[in-house]
Amino acid sequence: MARLILSLDNQVLAEYNMTKERYTVGRLPDNDVRIDNPAVSGHHSLIINILNDSFLEDLNSTNGTYVNGKLIKKHALQHGDVITIGHHQLRFSEEQTNDTEQDEFEKTMVIPAGQQSADQLAAAEKAAEAAAAATEPEEPAASYDAGAGVKLDAEEAGPLASSTPKPAPEPEPAPSPEPRAHTETHSGVDSASVPNALPLAKLQVLSGAFAGRELELTKALTTLGRPGVQVAAITRRAEGYFIVHVESGKEGDYPLVNGQPIGAQARRLQDNDVVQLAGVKMGFFAA
């Protein structure tokens, strides 16, 4: 199955799975792919799918239809073709090549274990731990009622807090916890410390050649970027997902989250945050 990826200024706006035989593209609401822009004709172009082939035709539009920068009247679409209609682009993608593209994206942006300094990754993990600790709420002060064997907050304690407590009964010794299996991920982070209850999040590429590609953040620590240019790590912890700067080619050149540099400290990611790293914009989406 083929699909179209609509974008404007390298920002992905929508994706269309091409399950029908005919798709019209234009400004009016009755189009299958609507582009509400004055530079687009009411019914600008038509895509016809016949078996495994797709054909594009310009419908005598005012500003013309372009494929890979060339004005066309009719064109047999190939995987990776970029259709320009007005100021918008439609990238034609065939699903059978997605796995290959995903591999290329991961080879380009995801840094395998062993290719990044262990000291840098340890520093990144330490920064994430500090940021996670800062997000934990403080527990209110409590008083201990020895007679009842329970903790009371300041209001409930009342006079009990100032009275002499009775000796508490000797608690039974707690059973020794079973030793926890120690399993290391490829990044060297103990996967047993990653909470199973935390929903998986993902990154979706919003710009560049891999726009639309997705990466699930399944590991305790995922290192992204381009060594020597800009590298960051995303850690998955009980408190959520945190991004921390690892290295860059220029001092002080930090990744951006929603247009703001994250600095040297780890930053907790929120749903729909936009991360810019090594020239690539990615959306962070929590499940």
Side-chain angles (χ1 to χ4, degrees), residues 10-287:
N10 290 324
Q11 299 294 315
V12 175
L13 303 179
E15 296 188 19
Y16 303 88
N17 290 322
M18 304 188 70
T19 57
K20 302 191 303 180
E21 181 180 339
R22 296 167 62 90
Y23 280 81
T24 58
V25 182
R27 189 182 69 254
L28 297 178
D30 62 346
N31 286 281
D32 299 291
V33 179
R34 186 188 182 196
I35 304 176
D36 189 10
N37 187 281
V40 180
S41 296
H43 296 98
H44 197 106
S45 58
L46 171 69
I47 297 174
I48 299 176
N49 299 306
I50 302 175
L51 297 178
N52 294 325
D53 296 317
S54 298
F55 302 91
L56 171 68
E57 180 180 353
D58 181 77
L59 298 178
N60 297 317
S61 64
T62 301
N63 293 317
T65 300
Y66 294 78
V67 176
N68 303 328
K70 295 182 179 180
L71 182 66
I72 61 98
K73 288 299 292 182
K74 293 184 179 181
H75 177 80
L77 289 168
Q78 303 293 324
H79 171 70
D81 278 350
V82 176
I83 306 164
T84 301
I85 296 177
H87 303 295
H88 291 68
Q89 287 78 42
L90 281 166
R91 184 169 178 266
F92 179 77
S93 175
E94 293 178 311
E95 193 169 90
Q96 57 264 33
T97 62
N98 282 355
D99 290 342
T100 302
E101 283 197 359
Q102 186 70 14
D103 290 343
E104 288 300 318
F105 164 65
E106 294 193 10
K107 287 178 184 177
T108 303
M109 288 296 294
V110 181
I111 301 174
Q115 292 189 13
Q116 196 65 44
S117 163
D119 291 341
Q120 288 178 325
L121 294 180
E125 180 67 15
K126 187 174 181 180
E129 286 181 4
T135 64
E136 295 178 358
E138 296 183 1
E139 294 185 2
S143 299
Y144 187 83
D145 180 2
V150 297
K151 284 186 177 180
L152 303 174
D153 61 26
E155 292 184 2
E156 292 174 332
L160 288 174
S162 59
S163 62
T164 303
K166 298 178 182 179
E170 189 73 22
E172 295 183 5
S176 300
E178 296 183 2
R180 187 180 66 175
H182 181 82
T183 307
E184 291 192 351
T185 65
H186 80 283
S187 61
V189 179
D190 187 356
S191 63
S193 66
V194 180
N196 294 327
L198 182 67
L200 286 179
K202 65 181 179 181
L203 294 173
Q204 184 181 63
V205 183
L206 304 178
S207 66
F210 297 108
R213 300 280 72 78
E214 294 182 353
L215 175 68
E216 285 194 340
L217 299 171
T218 58
K219 299 181 176 66
L221 188 146
T222 302
T223 311
L224 300 165
R226 296 189 177 99
V229 178
Q230 199 174 59
V231 176
I234 295 180
T235 65
R236 181 171 178 248
R237 309 185 60 82
E239 300 79 10
Y241 289 84
F242 294 81
I243 183 171
V244 59
H245 174 253
V246 175
E247 67 155 317
S248 59
K250 298 178 182 178
E251 185 176 355
D253 184 19
Y254 297 110
L256 306 180
V257 174
N258 301 329
Q260 299 297 320
I262 64 172
Q265 305 302 317
R267 171 167 174 162
R268 184 175 182 176
L269 290 170
Q270 305 291 339
D271 190 30
N272 291 314
D273 276 351
V274 175
V275 177
Q276 186 167 344
L277 173 66
V280 178
K281 285 187 177 180
M282 296 173 284
F284 174 82
F285 300 101

